Amino acid sequence: MTDRLNVTFPSGPDECHAWLYLPEGGSRRPVIVMAHGLGGIREMRLDAYAERFTAAGYACLVFDYRHFGASGGQPRQLLSIRRQLQDWQAAVAFARSRQEVAPRRVVLWGTSFGGGHVLATAAQDPAVAAVIAQGLFTDGVASALAMRPDTSVKVMARAVRDVVGARLGRPPVMVATAGPPGSAALMTAADAEPGYLALVPNDAPFSNQVAARFALDILRYRPGRRTAKIACPVLFCVCEHDSVAPARPTLRHARRAPRGEIRLYPDGHFDIYLGEPFERVVTDQLAFLARHVPIGSAPGEAPGPTTP
């Protein structure tokens, strides 16, 4: 029987809350470190992926970023790229410290905005064993250009107000994460609001908003440019009809990865979390794991640090 433990690990001055999935058997297993995308929390279908991976024999560490979900951090709903990348580094370090897992067999799994984070993290950490990135954000400029001009103006106006207010000690000015076309939201394609909210369970600690200052940072974030520096195998799961992370720039960056594998899906950004599209993508991800990080002892795997 699979165990799912509630665990915490430090990141900066706060703690990230996570689920640690452990498969049957006492041997050290590869571990998949997982987190969500723009404003997402682990209850938004990450458990479905983790359950499939754990059933195949992998441990999984599924965490919430600081300022979101069950994790600490004030103010709430603050989306900081710098802090989220720190959270990834802290999560990987925590995973490697667990006596139940093989510390040299850490896989990074990210979706949407988190798909960009795993590229940036792997480019800096040559010890990562493999990367899976689905519906991945690779280029802030490309994503910004995918927004309607009227939406961009509304969002940027709130972002400026939020930055000024933060300097004066005021509470954050919020912007919706997903909203209807033409609204002041970060994602406003026709499929964005219904697709995003369909992932949220009724009892999840979720809020469909983030501090608006994030909109001023996204243009400078282009993790796709790091793909050429990733030494490990990378699986790029790209949605051909992605309204949030356009496929064309994603494919351009993916082709620069030395050990990249690309899978194309005839789906939209939010389709691959549910139903038949989910089954297709998770099947490909399991096959990728079996090829590159198979279950079993890795040659030369040394015992890792133990946790009291």
Side-chain angles (χ1 to χ4, degrees):
M1 178 180 294
T2 298
D3 289 330
R4 190 178 88 174
L5 309 178
N6 291 315
V7 297
T8 62
F9 58 87
S11 184
D14 303 302
E15 284 191 331
C16 289
H17 285 239
W19 295 321
L20 178 61
Y21 289 79
L22 297 173
E24 292 182 339
S27 61
R28 291 177 180 267
R29 299 299 181 92
V31 60
I32 306 172
V33 182
M34 307 174 61
H36 223 303
L38 196 67
I41 57 175
R42 55 199 158 131
E43 288 87 352
M44 294 168 66
R45 290 287 293 171
L46 294 197
D47 51 348
Y49 289 89
E51 288 167 5
R52 294 290 289 273
F53 298 147
T54 308
Y58 297 88
C60 293
L61 179 69
V62 188
F63 71 95
D64 282 332
Y65 299 110
R66 284 178 288 170
H67 307 278
F68 291 89
S71 291
Q74 293 292 336
R76 303 307 294 170
Q77 304 302 117
L78 176 64
L79 204 167
S80 164
I81 295 171
R82 177 179 60 83
R83 294 186 189 188
Q84 290 195 350
L85 290 173
Q86 290 173 348
D87 295 344
W88 271 101
Q89 294 168 359
V92 170
F94 175 75
R96 287 174 174 152
S97 77
R98 297 291 302 198
Q99 61 183 355
E100 304 94 338
V101 309
R104 296 182 186 175
R105 308 187 76 202
V106 175
V107 178
L108 309 185
W109 185 100
T111 186
S112 192
F113 204 63
H117 288 338
V118 295
L119 300 182
T121 302
Q124 293 184 318
D125 187 345
V128 168
V131 173
I132 298 173
Q134 68 167 36
L136 60 156
F137 169 95
T138 59
D139 193 306
V141 173
S143 291
L145 291 174
M147 297 177 65
R148 289 173 37 159
D150 56 339
T151 292
S152 296
V153 170
K154 294 173 185 176
V155 169
M156 288 300 176
R158 292 195 182 191
V160 171
R161 285 171 49 207
D162 187 31
V163 169
V164 173
R167 292 175 179 173
L168 298 175
R170 296 172 183 168
V173 176
M174 295 293 179
V175 63
T177 310
S183 66
L186 297 176
M187 298 182 288
T188 60
D191 64 336
E193 186 179 36
Y196 189 64
L197 298 182
L199 307 179
V200 186
N202 291 332
D203 58 348
F206 171 78
S207 178
N208 183 28
Q209 59 180 4
V210 300
R213 70 195 72 169
F214 166 72
L216 297 177
D217 294 331
I218 193 170
L219 290 173
R220 297 191 295 270
Y221 190 43
R222 308 180 79 177
R225 291 185 167 186
R226 309 297 301 278
T227 54
K229 298 182 179 180
I230 302 175
C232 66
V234 185
L235 178 63
F236 297 91
C237 299
V238 181
C239 298
E240 293 180 290
H241 305 293
D242 199 315
S243 61
V244 176
R248 186 173 179 179
T250 297
L251 291 171
R252 183 175 68 249
H253 292 302
R255 293 185 182 112
R256 297 173 62 237
R259 301 179 66 188
E261 299 180 20
I262 299 171
R263 296 291 181 273
L264 285 171
Y265 302 93
D267 303 303
H269 187 80
F270 301 98
D271 295 331
I272 56 176
Y273 297 94
L274 299 163
E276 183 179 342
F278 165 77
E279 293 296 333
R280 285 197 299 265
V281 74
V282 79
T283 297
D284 285 346
Q285 292 172 5
L286 285 166
F288 172 83
L289 290 168
R291 288 194 304 275
H292 296 290
V293 195
I295 299 299
S297 298
E301 179 68 67
T306 59
T307 300

